[in-house]
Every structure is written in structure tokens, then in C-alpha cells.
Amino acid sequence: MFYSPFRGNDKAIAEAASLLDKHREAIEAGHAYVSIRGFCGSFGSKAANLAAAKNRSNQVKSWFITHHGMKEAYYRTFNSTRSYHGIKDVVALLGIEYVEGYEPPRPQPVAEAPDTLLAEPAVPEPVAEVADTVPVTPVSEPEPVVVEEPAEEPAPVVREYVSTPWYLKSNLLYDALLMPSLEVAYRFNERWSVGVEGNMAWWHNNGDHKYYQLATIVPEARYWFKPQGNRRGHYVGLFAGGGWYDLENGGRGYQGEGVMAGLSYGYMFPVGKYFAFEAGIGVGFMHTWYEEYLPIDGHYVYQQSSRLSYFGPLKLKFAFVWNIGRWTEKGGKR
């Protein structure tokens, strides 16, 4: 907000007030108005500079209206996104201007005004945006009076978690079956992503000849429907992969490998600020070849080799999702 005692503003305000009182009769009669110009060039965009200049010139105008009892219609504000003689943040009360067609009384000679806040002659630079007004005839007055705002306080430093295109996932259904899973996914944009999922179970009991050994790796490409954010939305996918297995229940075993390919559908929805759940299903074709054996007296007796083709559900997912992000700091001094 406008702080009147800041850096000599009280002196500049006194000069401006004297100027207003001197021409109050012409201003109230509608023959003249008070011209206030705001300049700002310290922000990163033209829009931000213009908004700051407008805000500052309006605050200075409001201060004079409040303290000198003059209506808002007596003032005109002009705002620029450029600096004022090298000063990037300043509000200048340039003086009184008469409307066209009015002949002001010939001014009496005046003594030279005291120095203002600017060392250079305060001749206004061309402004980028000005308020609509009528042509004016400037009155001969002392040097422009400049009213400067206080420097802005540094913004508080705020730590913010920013998401990245990388995701880590674990299928809780496979985890419950003692087959830990891990998927790494990368999202190119709102519509496309890729991922690679791996599962492995390597459990065995040599005493009872029981084996539960299984490993798969399945890459997948996905297309996301109407974007709903980084952690929400429906998708369809195309997957293909392979695996190895050795399954034995103590009486008969099957050892082999296979390949698969198919289509998937799923939906992801956020949970909390950083995580999400993903539910999905995959249907497709699988072909596997394996050897059948019997565990006898510590040996594994080969029985036969077989092949099997299958079409149907291949994947079932309810996964916990973590969007890998990073912490950033915002605020502080510009």
C-alpha cells in the first residue's frame, strides 16, 4: 500500500498539495484536472508491470482524494510499463493540466521549486497505455513532484511439491500373492505414456520339493482419454512380454517359459497429494512351452514336453502409484 513518509514522500506530497490548492478553483470548475502517472518495469511481463503501475497510481490518487477532499473525477491516471528516468518503480504526480479551449490566467513568476526525489528533470517518457481523456494544454508549473512507493517486502519462501513425468507402481494383488511387482512409467504428454512392469516370485521348499518360481516382464504403451490431470483418468493400452516359471506342488512340476500380447483398460484416481491408485485389466493371447516332471527321491524325473495356447484375461491390477516429484522453493527476493 502507499506509505506517505517513505524516502522523502512527505516533502513531495507537501509540494503536490500546494499545487492542488493553488488551482483548486479551476479543477472544481472542470477547467483542469490533476495528472498522475504510474511507471513500473520491475516485473517479468508487460501485463504484470501494467497491473502494478495501475494499482500504484490509483493508491496515490486515493490518498490525495482522502486527505485533500477532492473528487475522483478531478484526477486522471496514466500508466506505463517502462521505467521513469531509470527508476523502475515510481508514481509521479506531474501537475495540473487544463482542458482544451480554456484560457488559464497568466501565471505569475514563481521561485524555483525545491529538488524532488528525482535528480533529473522530470519529463515524462512516452507511456504504453493511457486513459482516455480530452486534449490538454499543460500549465506552466514547477518541476514535477514524484511520489515513490516503498520497496516491496520479499515474498515469503514457500516450498512446493512439483510432479514429474515419472511414476512408480506396485500391483497390490500380485504382492498379496507373494509375487512382488514393480512398474516404472513415463508420461510423454497428456495423451501418451509407456511403462515396463516386472513381477517375480522365487519361493521354494527343497524338503517337500515345492517350488513357486515365476518372473515376467511386460512393456506397455497407453493412450489416455480426456485429460483429467497427472493422476486421474481412463486409458487403453497395448502390451507384450514374456516370462519364465517353475511350479511344483510336491507331486508334479511344470517348468517352462512363454510370451503374451494383448489390450488393457484401466483407470487411475488420486489419493492424497502425492499418490494414486490404478485399477485395470488386460486381455490377450499367450503361448507357452514347458516340461512336465516328477520329483522322486530328490530327483526331477522328466515326463514330457508340451505347448499351450490361451486367449483370455492375462492381467489384473490394483496398483499403488507414486508420482515421482521434487520440492521447489518460491518467493524471497526477486
Side-chain angles (χ1 to χ4, degrees):
M1 64 184 199
F2 176 60
Y3 182 53
S4 58
F6 177 75
R7 290 179 58 182
N9 275 349
D10 47 357
K11 177 183 176 182
I13 290 171
E15 295 180 14
S18 175
L19 189 65
L20 296 182
D21 292 338
K22 181 179 179 180
H23 297 277
R24 180 181 293 266
E25 184 178 347
I27 295 172
E28 293 180 346
H31 301 314
Y33 59 83
V34 184
S35 172
I36 298 179
R37 297 179 183 267
F39 299 84
C40 180
S42 60
F43 293 96
S45 69
K46 180 178 179 181
N49 285 323
L50 182 59
K54 288 181 177 179
N55 175 60
R56 295 167 181 176
S57 60
N58 284 333
Q59 288 192 41
V60 172
K61 178 182 70 174
S62 298
W63 193 94
F64 277 94
I65 292 173
T66 302
H67 291 77
H68 291 275
M70 299 181 73
K71 298 179 181 179
E72 184 174 7
Y74 299 159
Y75 294 83
R76 302 285 189 275
T77 58
F78 306 84
N79 301 289
S80 172
T81 59
R82 301 171 59 185
S83 61
Y84 184 86
H85 290 263
I87 302 178
K88 293 184 177 181
D89 296 280
V90 66
V91 179
L93 180 68
L94 296 185
I96 308 300
E97 298 188 21
Y98 287 106
V99 299
E100 187 177 26
Y102 176 74
E103 291 295 333
R106 189 179 212 42
Q108 298 297 321
V110 294
E112 183 178 352
D115 292 337
T116 64
L117 296 184
L118 293 181
E120 302 179 47
V123 179
E125 297 184 14
V127 295
E129 292 80 12
V130 299
D132 293 335
T133 183
V134 296
V136 298
T137 302
V139 67
S140 176
E141 291 296 343
E143 292 286 336
V145 179
V146 177
V147 183
E148 185 179 3
E149 272 201 321
E152 295 182 4
E153 293 293 330
V157 176
V158 178
R159 298 185 73 238
E160 181 178 353
Y161 187 83
V162 179
S163 62
T164 69
W166 292 97
Y167 296 79
L168 286 181
K169 308 178 184 182
S170 182
N171 191 336
L172 301 180
L173 300 180
Y174 292 172
D175 296 342
L177 295 175
L178 302 181
M179 186 172 64
S181 72
L182 180 65
E183 178 181 349
V184 179
Y186 180 84
R187 193 154 182 171
F188 294 100
N189 49 47
E190 292 181 333
R191 296 291 187 180
W192 292 98
S193 68
V194 295
V196 178
E197 182 180 7
N199 310 286
M200 185 174 70
W202 216 252
W203 312 106
H204 61 275
N205 186 328
N206 288 329
D208 297 330
H209 299 289
K210 292 182 178 180
Y211 284 80
Y212 178 43
Q213 298 178 350
L214 175 66
T216 65
I217 183 167
V218 183
E220 182 173 350
R222 293 173 178 170
Y223 174 82
W224 296 79
F225 293 102
K226 183 178 179 181
Q228 298 178 350
N230 294 332
R231 294 179 295 132
R232 182 187 297 276
H234 299 265
Y235 69 85
V236 292
L238 176 65
F239 65 88
W244 304 264
Y245 57 91
D246 186 357
L247 306 174
E248 179 203 324
N249 60 8
R252 185 175 296 271
Y254 304 89
Q255 186 180 62
E257 54 192 83
V259 294
M260 70 181 82
L263 297 174
S264 65
Y265 166 79
Y267 177 71
M268 184 164 64
F269 54 95
V271 177
K273 189 174 182 180
Y274 315 113
F275 306 106
F277 283 121
E278 179 182 325
I281 188 172
V283 177
F285 176 80
M286 181 181 70
H287 181 72
T288 179
W289 50 97
Y290 60 92
E291 294 180 349
E292 184 178 345
Y293 65 89
L294 297 177
I296 301 176
D297 297 330
H299 301 282
Y300 304 95
V301 182
Y302 170 79
Q303 298 297 300
Q304 62 179 347
S305 297
S306 302
R307 291 177 176 270
L308 174 67
S309 295
Y310 165 82
F311 180 82
L314 293 175
K315 297 173 61 177
L316 186 62
K317 172 181 286 188
F318 186 75
F320 179 74
V321 182
W322 174 40
N323 175 222
I324 303 175
R326 57 187 175 85
W327 287 95
T328 62
E329 292 185 354
K330 292 186 176 182
K333 295 184 178 180
R334 295 189 179 275

